[in-house]
Amino acid sequence: MIKTLSLSENHRFRALYGKGKSRAGRYIVVYCMKNRRPVNRLGLTVSKKIGNAVTRNRIRRRMREAYRLNEAGFKSGFDIVIVARHGCGEAPFSALEGEMRALFAGLNMSGGGTNVAETLLPPVYLTSQAASHMLLYSYLLSIRPGGGREVRRL
């Protein structure tokens, strides 16, 4: 992550829940509050009600990745807590990422940047067989094809 630290103290989470601004979507809820620092601090919360440890960790990884890919477009100087809701684990990654961008825009935290993967990585050119294998593997691993890169068949 470019400009984000981890938020781990319980009293900071409680302060955000009590005094921070929030926006809720279908899959996640975002709480934020200014922190008077040049960097963001991110905390992720996934309740035991959502699933077992494997499921919760997978959801945390997906939320962290969605944040990381769009981090360049968010303003700095905030404490942020993202809370997973039921259905977050089954949601497509693109829906989770889009909802996160929309909620941050609703909190006036969008800084005008774009997706890091789209701006820094060139398109990948593959043969049709390699592209079909890549799509199959990405489906099995539940990740985006090409790690956010544009996939083109020759």
Side-chain angles (χ1 to χ4, degrees), residues 14 23 35 44 61 87 95 104 114 123:
R14 284 185 286 137
R23 290 289 182 270
N35 65 10
L44 303 172
R61 285 193 307 270
F104 274 86
T114 57

Side-chain angles (χ1 to χ4, degrees), residues 88-145:
C88 184
E90 294 82 31
F93 184 79
S94 58
L96 183 66
E97 189 178 13
E99 183 171 293
M100 187 177 290
R101 277 194 305 262
L103 294 176
F104 274 86
L107 291 167
N108 294 323
M109 289 188 56
S110 294
T114 57
N115 187 316
V116 173
E118 292 173 0
T119 57
L120 298 179
L121 301 174
V124 176
Y125 295 94
L126 301 172
T127 64
S128 61
Q129 183 180 10
S132 64
H133 283 122
M134 183 175 218
L135 291 174
L136 173 64
Y137 293 139
S138 66
Y139 172 75
L140 294 174
L141 297 173
S142 297
I143 59 172
R144 293 174 65 186

Side-chain angles (χ1 to χ4, degrees), residues 37-59:
R37 294 175 183 238
V39 296
N40 288 338
R41 293 187 296 191
L42 177 67
L44 303 172
T45 304
V46 184
S47 170
K48 280 189 172 183
K49 294 177 184 177
I50 291 184
N52 62 16
V54 173
T55 305
R56 293 192 309 268
N57 286 328
R58 181 172 184 264
I59 291 170

